[in-house]
Amino acid sequence: MTINTAIKNDHEYEAALEAIEQLLEAEPGTPDGEKFEELAKMITEYDDIHHKLNE
């Protein structure tokens, strides 16, 4: 999965979830920390559109 692009489907979403697991311990401000932040943003955006929870 390429960073800095939107997640387009559930396959990419699952790949992003696996990738972010590897970065949970990343320090903010490091390259891995920046990857974590970008993946978190992309996952959140995809969730907001495709995995809405009933309120």
Side-chain angles (χ1 to χ4, degrees):
M1 158 173 269
T2 302
I3 303 293
N4 296 326
T5 61
I7 297 171
K8 297 176 189 91
N9 55 49
D10 282 340
H11 177 72
E12 289 183 3
Y13 176 77
E14 293 296 327
L17 291 176
E18 289 179 21
I20 205 168
E21 279 186 40
Q22 303 301 314
L23 299 170
L24 288 175
E25 302 293 324
E27 293 289 327
T30 64
D32 283 346
E34 290 175 16
K35 288 178 190 176
F36 178 88
E37 292 295 327
E38 186 65 27
L39 283 169
K41 180 180 175 186
M42 291 167 41
I43 290 167
T44 299
E45 290 171 355
Y46 191 84
D47 278 339
D48 288 347
I49 295 168
H50 299 284
H51 300 138
K52 289 185 179 183
L53 299 175
N54 293 333
E55 295 179 354

